[in-house]
Amino acid sequence: MDKQQQQSTLTMINMLNMAQLFSNMQQQQQNTPTAAQMNPFGSLCNGNSPFDFSSLLGAQNVSGQTQNPPSSNGSGVVTPAPPAEEEPKTPKTGVALRKMLEKYGLELVTQDSESAQRRKRKLDHVPDEVIPEMAQVDCKQCETTFGSIWALKAHCEEMHQSPVPTEVVDEFSDRLQRALDDMEDRDSSTENDDSCDPPEPKRIKREIKSERSSASSSPTPTSKASNGTNSDLTNQLAMMGMMGFPFLNNPFMPMMTPDFFQNMASTGSSTSASMGNGSSNSASSPAKRARTRITDEQLKVLRQYFDINNSPSENQIKEMSIKAGLPEKVIKHWFRNTLFKERQRDKDSPYNFSVPPQVSIDLDTYDKTGEAKITPLKSEPEKQGAPKTPTISAPATPADLLSTLNKAGLGSLASFALPVAANAASNISTTQQNPFTAFLNHNTEEKPTPQVSAANSVTGRRANRTRFTDFQLRTLQQFFDKQAYPKDDDLELLSRRLQLSPRVIVVWFQNARQKARKIYENQPNQENNERFLKTPGCNFQCKRCQVVFQRYYELIQHQQKLCYKDDTVAQQKDNRGVEETLSDDEKSAPGAPEPASAQPTTATATVTANVSMDLGGALAQLMSGMAAAAAGPPRTRGQRNL
DNA sequence: ACCTTAACTCGCGCCCGTCT
DNA sequence: AGACGGGCGCGAGTTAAGGT
């Protein structure tokens, strides 16, 4: 299987996953046998497991390794091969199963098989129904009719090496939207009937809402999708994501609620860039917001306009939106942030727009004709009949354009004229991107994303921004005040308690340390600095060998074994000051001795009651951490900090 | 307009396992 | 024993979104 086939397979897997999610959601929402038939991706299910890899392989076989090649009925109508009916009774044997095992691994295939059987039991009694959104579609290039848009997509990719035409996708999108609207209508009509047992996605939505209003309960979107096929599938998706499947690569897949997919399915094909931006997700996932990843190409488009005018008009924003494929909201945000940044960076920079620019280049004209029109921006009273736009005919190459501008005494424009010239062609191609392709490619490796990060190298899409609840922030802050470097078990504990992914907690602590450091550095008063350094309770240094331990019991264990091996009195004496700052947990930790003094400590209560940010402990730990790093390694590999 | 912050990128250093 | 490379955590800086 070559690379193209693999990518095509991955794409199909993505769609199948969405289809399955959709199917499950609809089943749960309606709880009726006909729910599956309402699935806009219903033809993928075809009465069998929609997550059936054998059907996937069959679809893939358009170009070769045929299990169930598309059949033609002689009238030009090609229908995708039925995944199971024409297969042997044991469909997951033979070549298909072997390929699955080779490609996806035993565990995933086993899970798939189990879940497929469960779903089949549920779907066995589903009556046939016409699914409007899966009507036949024609290939515009060879005028062949296909039974579904998926078949058409496979056909176009394999036979024509081109994406599905835009207009076809638009039609599909419209049908899909109508189908969804219909389903919502039916949902609302039946909602009262099953109020005693609300469907899962709606329940999650309500919990998110109530969480936002009360801000007192921990968010549990991940753990809520815990029953039935949805959970099975979520596990599969997460697993596939970990295995490197695009679109499913989020290591914290459970954080993504089914609402996310539902919303994505309803909006995804309409806007190419909406997959990753918050404007499309925020409606259905209010606790999360997606972070837009502005690509190089998009950035160039924005920068072109910004260099000309940092306060674009609505029309210009719309233009940019179309050109860059970004929501207008994102563009406004970018302009706001960029303007602020530029002003902060250098008041004397060329981007000081206290003096607005006087001229601009007509990008549209340049894109179309290759001619750079320099036009005045100021809306001075126009004199009728006077030449309004001094036009500079510019050659197509950037170097020539620069030369032309210099000759015209407009060298200052070269800075933005060059990128205009260099990227005009690419911008055009960007605007003409097929939305269906964009919808898919946005989540696959096929899309060339030069800025793709190592962490998100598969999708290039930034993770949703976590909105911490008050409870989560309080807990994190309290922990941070005591321990700026949580260990793995602390991390696990926090993760469980706060229902946050470990990664999110790691990032939070990194940011918190950064913030604390910044505040510390900005402290003008040396006394305050000393206060931080002297604030006890977050690091434990052996007074004899100066080695710093991050846990009290580690210090005690060290002292008992080495420095204070035969001198427990001195040990208790030296540790007395430290013990007064210990929490109950720390004192009761394994290896920790009985308190040296009988006086009760209230340090824990003091710390935990302090909701506001007490940088003392954390900073002392930070400082000691640095000192310890210089003095020697207090950490072992097994006890690595975050 | 300005500020805050979660998420991200990049580079560095440390630790450990493997190889020579 | 030393070199080497991979994995990992962290700091510093950046970016995009949201709040004031």
Side-chain angles (χ1 to χ4, degrees):
Chain A
M1 186 178 285
D2 61 29
K3 194 173 181 180
Q4 188 181 3
Q5 285 177 311
Q6 285 180 340
Q7 288 177 339
S8 179
T9 302
L10 295 177
T11 304
M12 292 302 289
I13 289 172
N14 293 341
M15 302 313 299
L16 286 167
N17 289 331
M18 285 183 59
Q20 174 59 32
L21 274 176
F22 229 105
S23 173
N24 289 332
M25 285 188 296
Q26 296 309 318
Q27 286 178 56
Q28 290 187 341
Q29 283 185 349
Q30 298 208 354
N31 200 22
T32 63
T34 57
Q37 295 290 2
M38 299 287 294
N39 183 353
F41 302 89
S43 72
L44 287 169
C45 308
N46 210 10
N48 294 285
S49 164
F51 202 54
D52 192 338
F53 279 100
S54 50
S55 68
L56 167 65
L57 291 173
Q60 182 57 32
N61 290 332
V62 174
S63 64
Q65 301 159 357
T66 304
Q67 293 289 317
N68 295 302
S71 61
S72 174
N73 58 10
S75 61
V77 176
V78 179
T79 55
E85 277 81 358
E86 296 177 13
E87 283 185 355
K89 287 293 179 182
T90 54
K92 286 186 182 177
T93 57
V95 178
L97 180 55
R98 194 164 59 243
K99 287 187 180 302
M100 287 169 63
L101 287 170
E102 287 170 0
K103 188 170 177 60
Y104 306 113
L106 175 64
E107 194 175 348
L108 182 61
V109 173
T110 305
Q111 283 193 14
D112 165 52
S113 175
E114 291 172 357
S115 61
Q117 287 177 7
R118 278 196 294 273
R119 282 191 296 276
K120 194 171 188 311
R121 281 196 291 273
K122 288 188 177 182
L123 295 173
D124 274 341
H125 54 292
V126 173
D128 287 330
E129 212 177 88
V130 177
I131 304 162
E133 63 277 60
M134 301 310 298
Q136 295 175 348
V137 285
D138 295 325
C139 175
K140 306 283 183 190
Q141 298 184 52
C142 60
E143 297 186 354
T144 306
T145 303
F146 291 86
S148 74
I149 197 164
W150 313 116
L152 175 63
K153 178 183 182 300
H155 164 78
C156 288
E157 286 179 353
E158 299 296 332
M159 299 303 179
H160 305 304
Q161 275 80 43
S162 66
V164 181
T166 309
E167 55 269 27
V168 176
V169 179
D170 285 342
E171 288 174 20
F172 173 77
S173 175
D174 290 339
R175 287 202 302 272
L176 183 61
Q177 188 60 57
R178 281 198 297 273
L180 286 170
D181 292 342
D182 290 342
M183 280 188 293
E184 283 179 6
D185 292 341
R186 295 190 209 186
D187 282 348
S188 59
S189 65
T190 59
E191 192 168 333
N192 294 334
D193 298 335
D194 51 7
S195 57
C196 56
D197 187 17
E200 200 66 29
K202 292 178 181 176
R203 203 183 309 159
I204 293 170
K205 266 190 185 176
R206 273 202 290 271
E207 282 168 0
I208 293 172
K209 271 188 181 176
S210 64
E211 177 196 321
R212 292 183 85 200
S213 58
S214 65
S216 60
S217 60
S218 61
T220 56
T222 63
S223 59
K224 297 301 179 186
S226 59
N227 63 348
T229 55
N230 213 359
S231 173
D232 298 334
L233 186 81
T234 304
N235 291 337
Q236 288 174 347
L237 294 175
M239 187 172 173
M240 293 174 70
M242 285 185 283
M243 293 170 67
F245 286 102
F247 177 78
L248 306 169
N249 72 321
N250 189 338
F252 310 113
M253 187 73 182
M255 299 298 289
M256 300 165 76
T257 67
D259 296 352
F260 171 82
F261 291 97
Q262 187 170 26
N263 183 63
M264 186 170 61
S266 63
T267 60
S269 60
S270 58
T271 55
S272 61
S274 64
M275 289 293 296
N277 65 59
S279 57
S280 64
N281 284 339
S282 57
S284 63
S285 183
K288 299 276 186 181
R289 64 165 179 170
R291 176 163 182 157
T292 306
R293 177 77 188 177
I294 300 179
T295 65
D296 273 343
E297 293 302 318
Q298 290 168 332
L299 209 53
K300 282 172 186 169
V301 174
L302 298 178
R303 182 51 91 170
Q304 287 164 17
Y305 280 85
F306 183 85
D307 287 344
I308 295 166
N309 181 10
N310 70 325
S311 180
S313 65
E314 289 295 324
N315 284 339
Q316 286 176 311
I317 290 175
K318 279 177 185 167
E319 279 178 35
M320 282 182 272
S321 176
I322 294 168
K323 277 192 174 184
L326 287 168
E328 293 179 20
K329 183 185 170 188
V330 171
I331 293 173
K332 286 176 183 172
H333 243 119
W334 185 88
F335 267 78
R336 205 169 55 176
N337 283 326
T338 306
L339 179 61
F340 178 66
K341 254 188 319 188
E342 298 288 358
R343 283 181 174 162
Q344 292 284 32
R345 190 174 297 161
D346 188 356
K347 304 282 184 191
D348 299 327
S349 83
Y351 299 115
N352 183 354
F353 292 101
S354 55
V355 180
Q358 302 296 311
V359 293
S360 75
I361 281 184
D362 189 337
L363 296 177
D364 284 337
T365 306
Y366 183 83
D367 286 348
K368 289 169 187 167
T369 65
E371 223 178 51
K373 274 191 174 180
I374 308 297
T375 58
L377 272 177
K378 280 291 179 189
S379 57
E380 292 174 359
E382 293 179 1
K383 298 172 185 174
Q384 279 205 340
K388 285 184 278 185
T389 57
T391 301
I392 299 173
S393 295
T397 66
D400 290 346
L401 176 58
L402 173 63
S403 167
T404 309
L405 288 171
N406 284 332
K407 281 178 191 170
L410 293 167
S412 62
L413 286 168
S415 61
F416 66 81
L418 280 176
V420 169
N423 298 293
S426 61
N427 291 339
I428 293 172
S429 63
T430 303
T431 58
Q432 292 172 347
Q433 196 176 29
N434 186 326
F436 189 80
T437 311
F439 174 78
L440 295 173
N441 287 354
H442 196 88
N443 300 289
T444 68
E445 290 174 312
E446 293 171 44
K447 185 181 181 183
T449 49
Q451 283 188 318
V452 166
S453 69
N456 242 344
S457 60
V458 181
T459 62
R461 200 166 57 80
R462 204 177 179 108
N464 291 337
R465 182 174 175 124
T466 303
R467 302 281 299 164
F468 294 115
T469 64
D470 286 348
F471 170 74
Q472 289 169 331
L473 281 175
R474 258 202 318 271
T475 307
L476 288 169
Q477 191 60 59
Q478 285 170 3
F479 193 97
F480 180 79
D481 290 343
K482 293 190 287 183
Q483 175 83 350
Y485 295 86
K487 293 188 173 62
D488 288 346
D489 48 350
D490 302 324
L491 183 64
E492 206 175 316
L493 183 70
L494 283 170
S495 175
R496 274 204 307 271
R497 185 177 296 179
L498 301 179
Q499 290 293 315
L500 292 168
S501 75
R503 171 69 186 163
V504 169
I505 296 174
V506 166
V507 169
W508 188 90
F509 271 89
Q510 284 178 346
N511 285 325
R513 287 194 295 269
Q514 196 170 14
K515 183 177 163 188
R517 231 172 276 119
K518 205 176 264 182
I519 292 174
Y520 169 77
E521 287 166 359
N522 290 337
Q523 284 286 339
N525 192 344
Q526 190 60 28
E527 286 180 8
N528 285 339
N529 293 349
E530 288 180 0
R531 180 183 76 82
F532 287 137
L533 288 170
K534 288 177 181 174
T535 303
C538 293
N539 67 95
F540 310 99
Q541 189 173 29
C542 177
K543 293 197 174 181
R544 290 196 174 173
C545 68
Q546 310 300 315
V547 172
V548 177
F549 296 88
Q550 295 188 358
R551 293 243 165 125
Y552 181 58
Y553 68 84
E554 291 171 0
L555 168 69
I556 297 301
Q557 284 177 338
H558 156 79
Q559 290 176 336
Q560 286 175 345
K561 287 178 184 172
L562 296 171
C563 293
Y564 295 81
K565 198 173 181 181
D566 302 316
D567 195 356
T568 53
V569 176
Q571 180 193 12
Q572 289 182 353
K573 184 182 172 186
D574 287 350
N575 290 343
R576 190 164 298 162
V578 178
E579 286 179 1
E580 291 172 2
T581 68
L582 291 180
S583 68
D584 292 337
D585 287 346
E586 287 162 337
K587 276 185 279 191
S588 61
E594 291 298 316
S597 68
Q599 70 181 52
T601 70
T602 56
T604 304
T606 306
V607 171
T608 54
N610 186 6
V611 174
S612 64
M613 184 153 181
D614 175 15
L615 292 171
L619 276 167
Q621 193 181 3
L622 289 173
M623 298 305 123
S624 70
M626 287 186 237
R635 304 180 305 187
T636 65
R637 188 178 176 83
Q639 295 173 324
R640 191 186 285 276
N641 283 327
L642 291 173

